[in-house]
Amino acid sequence: MSLINEGVKRKLISTIVEDDKITQVKYLHQNVSRNYTPEESVQVEAYLKLITDYGYKPQHIKQFVSIKMGVEKKQADIVVYNDDACTQPHILVECKRKEVSEQEFGQAIEQAYSYAFALPNDVKYVWVTSGLKDEYFEVDKKRSTRITKPDIPQYGVKKLATYKYVYDAESLKEQIGKQKFFDISIVDQSDLTKRFKQAHDALWAGGQLNPSEAFDELDKLIFCKIWDERKDRKTGEAYDFQIITIDEQEEPNKEKRTKKENENLYNRIKILYEEGRKKDAEVFRDDIRLTPEKVRTVVGYLESINLSETDLDSKGHAFETFMDSFFKGNFGQYFTPRPIVKFTTDVLPIKNDSYVLDTSCGSGGFLLYALNKVRNAANHLYPDYKTDPKQKLKHYKYWHDFAEKNLYGIEINEQISRAAKMNMIIHDDGHTNVITSDGLFSPDDIERINKNTGFKYNHFNFILTNPPFGSVIRKSEKSYLSGYEFGIKQPDWLDLTIPDPDDTVNSRDSQSTEILFIEQCYKFIKEGGYLAIVLPDGILTNSSLQYVRDSIEDKFRIVAVISLPQSAFASKGAGVKSSVLFLKKHTFKHTEKLRNKKIAIQNNLKSQMKYFEKIDDWKQEKSLKLKDIKKEKDKERQKPQKEILNNHYTNIINEFRSELNSIYQQVKRKELPDYSIFMALAKDIGY
């Protein structure tokens, strides 16, 4: 949009805007108005770049140029001429919409060449662009071979360099007649998402890779791109992650020249990959498995952009949007919507010395927002960090130490875990302690498998998580179930016999994952630490899960309950009604005190109400009446009488137990510590 604004400011174009969207554009020099379609938006930008970036005069540029092709007439999008009379064509530009596929882009190249050869005078260069991808060629009508170039020349330039993108290009002094280089540039979220998606589609659409393999390979190349941007460079030094051509004089044969260009690019990418892997060995354990030709395809989409400087939220959203659509389609995974992640993180007092964990981190959303929160704090503490070297060092250390040493994540799916690490790398670190593991493993099991000693019980200040809903852990499949309180059948306080908690007979055959994760989070969090957890509303309302609510009440202070709308996860393909619980872990002494107090209340009530005595009396009374029934000579009448008697005493006992439970709740409310709980119903979550 900044290029459009610049064009309007320089009176090159004008626009008509309706409902904050451009609907029409007018090319003022040609006095032509056009509907602002997706393809037209690319043409507008190409036209403006020719003037603002390449220095061509508006009067030397014609659009919608009629070209005779046999008996038909076609239109070339843009032709740049060398003369005021516009008789000597210099550059022909073919524009396609941003969503164009690789196959369609290839067809556009063929089309551009056919136009170039149909023009009456020689065209020197062809530029094919989709706004996301560019291809440049030098044209020689005397020869059928195409000469690939890294760019088109600026106005007055006779000879092109073999590359286009250099570090700190703005600092280079521009001289008329000499090559102008470009620095990599920041792009918006929409364009970045499209680049990721189209690069991915280009990798698997040909059938050589399945979508999952293509995703992994694209991850590797994004990793190389970021690593290339982070390397120290002198002003004007070329980036490695770009297509660098070979002069025709060096290698006249087109096929050999292209093959060598691709191999050189592939080797540069491999060097970047190995350099990065030395520091981040856990991120990618296998080699790049793409052909040099496929590497070139992906580089074509990413070479011009600056991922490091692109807004944190924009690149995060782009990667996660692409990742969400991929994993949703391939694995049925549903990541937490960003508005929920942002809200949850915003309300917690996370600082740079806090230890933060997500036990089911998925794509790493909660961790990234925690990192962003600390980075924003660093921005406020060191407002001049961009210009003051001392502040810059302190600013970097403030958030980077937090990212490297205090952020922890667990994800059971290896591919999603790797994507989460990649997501953290895109956001400038914090991936070191994201591991592939079952989030319900003990720290000892985690250390044994992942060699990471940071996952300790009673250690984390904050846990933010959205555990998987609806899955079941079975004792026959996971031996660790017996190590959880929620893996044991909890006795009711009105049970007549108290079972031995060590008795394996009382072990549950299975338990829901979300319930086990509540307990696991309690173990990981330190006393006074906060847990923010997304849970299905059934845990808060189902009568059969009262034991879960009782345990939460014993172990945590319930700070807040935010009920999410039914539609909260609809955009992710899931419709379970859920809430975000904010819980603060009690001290162990306080939990023990609460439990002992509850037991004392229960025992007092059973004593005052003569619970066991009444139950025994009813049992004896029932036994005597059963004896009388057995005396009945008519055996057919005995059975219904027994059923009526059994139901009668069952109802009496149940009513008595219900009365005791009701009294218990009343006494408990009076005698246990009371506190306020913030409760809210979210009508929408910011879509």
Side-chain angles (χ1 to χ4, degrees):
M1 190 58 72
S2 60
L3 189 59
I4 299 289
N5 294 337
E6 179 70 13
V8 172
K9 185 179 178 181
R10 293 177 59 169
K11 297 183 179 180
L12 299 170
I13 60 169
S14 65
T15 59
I16 295 176
V17 178
E18 297 177 3
D19 298 327
D20 295 327
K21 290 183 178 180
I22 299 173
T23 57
Q24 275 197 331
V25 60
K26 184 175 184 179
Y27 300 95
L28 298 178
H29 183 71
Q30 302 208 45
N31 195 29
V32 174
S33 294
R34 304 269 291 187
N35 290 331
Y36 195 71
T37 62
E39 189 163 315
E40 196 65 38
S41 70
V42 175
Q43 183 155 337
V44 173
E45 292 196 357
Y47 170 74
L48 295 174
K49 284 178 182 178
L50 286 167
I51 299 167
T52 59
D53 291 346
Y54 293 90
Y56 290 100
K57 299 173 183 178
Q59 57 267 34
H60 285 185
I61 302 173
K62 279 192 173 184
Q63 293 173 274
F64 327 114
V65 178
S66 181
I67 298 177
K68 192 173 181 181
M69 306 276 294
V71 295
E72 289 185 292
K73 280 192 176 180
K74 302 283 187 177
Q75 273 192 345
D77 291 329
I78 303 173
V79 178
V80 182
Y81 295 87
N82 277 328
D83 60 327
D84 292 339
C86 294
T87 59
Q88 301 171 22
H90 184 52
I91 303 169
L92 184 142
V93 185
E94 179 66 20
C95 303
K96 292 296 178 185
R97 71 188 191 284
K98 291 182 178 179
E99 291 77 11
V100 69
S101 68
E102 273 295 300
Q103 183 180 4
E104 291 170 318
F105 195 89
Q107 291 168 355
I109 294 174
E110 298 297 330
Q111 183 174 302
Y113 256 82
S114 68
Y115 291 170
F117 274 72
L119 280 169
N121 295 314
D122 289 352
V123 171
K124 184 68 173 174
Y125 295 97
V126 163
W127 172 21
V128 181
T129 180
S130 69
L132 303 181
K133 180 176 181 175
D134 299 281
E135 292 267 6
Y136 312 96
F137 304 93
E138 187 176 344
V139 181
D140 186 348
K141 286 188 177 181
K142 296 174 184 177
R143 302 168 59 188
S144 59
T145 57
R146 295 172 189 173
I147 305 167
T148 304
K149 290 292 178 181
D151 200 359
I152 53 171
Q154 290 82 39
Y155 178 74
V157 171
K158 301 298 181 185
K159 183 174 174 61
L160 280 168
T162 57
Y163 52 88
K164 179 176 180 177
Y165 301 103
V166 303
Y167 174 69
D168 197 17
E170 293 297 319
S171 297
L172 299 175
K173 292 181 179 179
E174 292 184 33
Q175 297 178 355
I176 298 297
K178 289 200 173 181
Q179 172 80 43
K180 174 188 174 183
F181 294 103
F182 293 85
D183 205 337
I184 52 178
S185 58
I186 295 167
V187 293
D188 63 24
Q189 173 192 314
S190 174
D191 273 7
L192 190 55
T193 306
K194 289 172 184 173
R195 287 175 191 266
F196 287 154
K197 184 180 186 306
Q198 288 190 274
H200 174 260
D201 289 350
L203 289 181
W204 75 267
Q208 293 178 350
L209 298 173
N210 65 43
S212 178
E213 291 171 326
F215 184 89
D216 282 346
E217 295 306 310
L218 177 59
D219 256 2
K220 294 172 187 175
L221 294 186
I222 294 173
F223 175 69
C224 294
K225 169 66 174 163
I226 293 170
W227 188 253
D228 187 45
E229 292 175 13
R230 290 180 182 176
K231 288 181 69 173
D232 293 326
R233 279 187 170 84
K234 296 177 182 178
T235 295
E237 185 179 341
Y239 289 99
D240 293 315
F241 195 98
Q242 67 173 313
I243 297 166
I244 298 177
T245 59
I246 295 172
D247 282 334
E248 189 184 14
Q249 290 79 9
E250 183 181 333
E251 177 51 72
N253 183 281
K254 178 186 179 294
E255 285 72 23
K256 290 182 179 179
R257 188 169 64 249
T258 302
K259 183 179 180 182
K260 191 172 181 181
E261 286 172 355
N262 293 346
E263 287 174 350
N264 289 347
L265 174 61
Y266 185 77
N267 289 333
R268 292 196 303 276
I269 296 297
K270 280 185 69 176
I271 290 170
L272 287 171
Y273 188 62
E274 293 306 322
E275 286 176 352
R277 277 211 295 182
K278 285 178 183 177
K279 183 179 179 183
D280 302 302
E282 285 298 308
V283 182
F284 298 109
R285 299 177 185 178
D286 54 341
D287 295 330
I288 293 172
R289 294 183 291 122
L290 294 173
T291 63
E293 292 73 26
K294 287 290 187 182
V295 168
R296 181 171 184 152
T297 298
V298 175
V299 170
Y301 284 105
L302 304 180
E303 64 179 347
S304 65
I305 63 175
N306 189 329
L307 280 174
S308 299
E309 296 299 324
T310 293
D311 173 69
L312 183 70
D313 199 50
S314 293
K315 64 185 175 184
H317 201 165
F319 188 73
E320 288 166 47
T321 300
F322 163 60
M323 197 163 46
D324 278 6
S325 62
F326 170 74
F327 282 112
K328 179 180 172 182
N330 287 272
F331 294 105
Q333 294 283 340
Y334 304 106
F335 300 129
T336 313
R338 292 172 67 85
I340 297 175
V341 175
K342 185 178 187 303
F343 164 76
T344 304
T345 312
D346 282 349
V347 300
L348 292 173
I350 297 169
K351 298 179 181 178
N352 73 315
D353 59 352
S354 304
Y355 284 93
V356 178
L357 169 67
D358 185 347
T359 52
S360 313
C361 72
S363 63
F366 282 118
L367 302 179
L368 289 170
Y369 270 86
L371 173 56
N372 196 28
K373 189 182 183 85
V374 171
R375 290 181 80 161
N376 287 336
N379 293 345
H380 288 295
L381 280 171
Y382 307 106
D384 299 323
Y385 73 94
K386 290 185 179 180
T387 56
D388 185 337
K390 289 184 179 178
Q391 282 203 17
K392 183 178 181 180
L393 184 62
K394 289 181 179 179
H395 177 274
Y396 180 79
K397 184 174 176 58
Y398 187 93
W399 68 261
H400 188 268
D401 283 359
F402 171 77
E404 188 175 30
K405 300 172 184 176
N406 292 41
L407 273 179
Y408 288 77
I410 306 172
E411 170 53 46
I412 193 169
N413 182 292
E414 184 174 359
Q415 192 172 27
I416 297 176
S417 173
R418 189 160 57 247
K421 294 171 189 175
M422 191 65 239
N423 206 357
M424 301 300 287
I425 293 172
I426 283 177
H427 288 76
D428 304 329
D429 277 319
H431 62 282
T432 310
N433 296 307
V434 174
I435 63 167
T436 305
S437 179
D438 187 336
L440 295 171
F441 276 171
S442 69
D444 288 343
D445 288 334
I446 288 174
E447 183 179 347
R448 177 172 49 81
I449 296 168
N450 291 276
K451 314 302 180 189
N452 192 309
T453 59
F455 294 87
K456 301 177 234 180
Y457 283 156
N458 307 308
H459 176 65
F460 292 92
N461 304 97
F462 299 94
I463 296 180
L464 304 88
T465 193
N466 179 7
F469 296 176
S471 299
V472 171
I473 302 296
R474 304 187 188 282
K475 183 173 67 174
S476 58
E477 299 170 353
K478 301 289 185 181
S479 60
Y480 59 61
L481 182 61
S482 60
Y484 283 87
E485 283 184 24
F486 287 144
I488 307 295
K489 294 176 183 176
Q490 304 297 318
D492 187 88
W493 71 284
L494 292 175
D495 285 349
L496 297 174
T497 57
I498 305 299
D500 183 352
D502 295 326
D503 191 344
T504 56
V505 175
N506 295 306
S507 297
R508 295 180 183 274
D509 292 328
S510 63
Q511 181 58 280
S512 298
T513 49
E514 61 266 30
I515 292 175
L516 292 177
F517 269 106
I518 296 171
E519 184 175 340
Q520 178 74 324
C521 289
Y522 172 77
K523 293 176 180 179
F524 271 122
I525 209 160
K526 69 189 304 183
E527 293 180 347
Y530 287 90
L531 166 62
I533 185 169
V534 181
L535 291 174
D537 279 2
I539 288 180
L540 307 179
T541 57
N542 288 356
S543 58
S544 63
L545 298 178
Q546 182 62 47
Y547 72 95
V548 178
R549 297 191 288 276
D550 288 342
S551 180
I552 291 173
E553 183 183 70
D554 289 345
K555 296 174 177 178
F556 298 97
R557 178 188 175 104
I558 304 169
V559 179
V561 181
I562 312 299
S563 178
L564 301 174
Q566 184 77 42
S567 60
F569 289 86
S571 71
K572 303 295 179 181
V576 179
K577 181 72 176 69
S578 54
S579 297
V580 184
L581 269 67
F582 292 89
L583 309 170
K584 184 177 182 181
K585 183 173 177 176
H586 288 318
T587 64
F588 296 116
K589 286 185 178 180
H590 189 71
T591 294
E592 186 179 7
K593 182 179 177 182
L594 284 176
R595 286 182 167 174
N596 289 338
K597 183 66 176 175
K598 284 183 179 181
I599 291 170
I601 294 170
Q602 292 165 357
N603 289 338
N604 286 338
L605 276 177
K606 285 189 281 192
S607 176
Q608 290 169 14
M609 301 293 288
K610 297 184 178 180
Y611 176 67
F612 293 111
E613 292 90 333
K614 287 186 178 181
I615 296 294
D616 284 341
D617 287 345
W618 283 321
K619 282 185 176 181
Q620 290 179 22
E621 191 176 298
K622 174 183 163 184
S623 180
L624 290 173
K625 290 183 178 181
L626 280 172
K627 287 180 180 178
D628 290 338
I629 290 172
K630 287 180 180 178
K631 293 177 183 178
E632 180 73 49
K633 292 181 180 180
D634 189 345
K635 300 297 183 183
E636 291 298 321
R637 292 182 58 189
Q638 283 186 10
K639 188 175 181 181
Q641 286 181 10
K642 285 180 182 179
E643 287 181 2
I644 292 170
L645 188 67
N646 284 330
N647 289 337
H648 172 70
Y649 281 100
T650 297
N651 289 336
I652 289 175
I653 292 172
N654 285 341
E655 286 174 9
F656 184 46
R657 288 163 67 98
S658 179
E659 180 187 1
L660 272 176
N661 266 317
S662 180
I663 296 171
Y664 169 62
Q665 295 298 330
Q666 294 174 30
V667 175
K668 188 176 71 165
R669 279 195 290 270
K670 289 180 181 178
E671 296 193 16
L672 291 180
D674 191 20
Y675 57 86
S676 300
I677 299 174
F678 177 82
M679 303 188 77
L681 176 63
K683 293 182 179 179
D684 63 71
I685 61 163
Y687 289 141

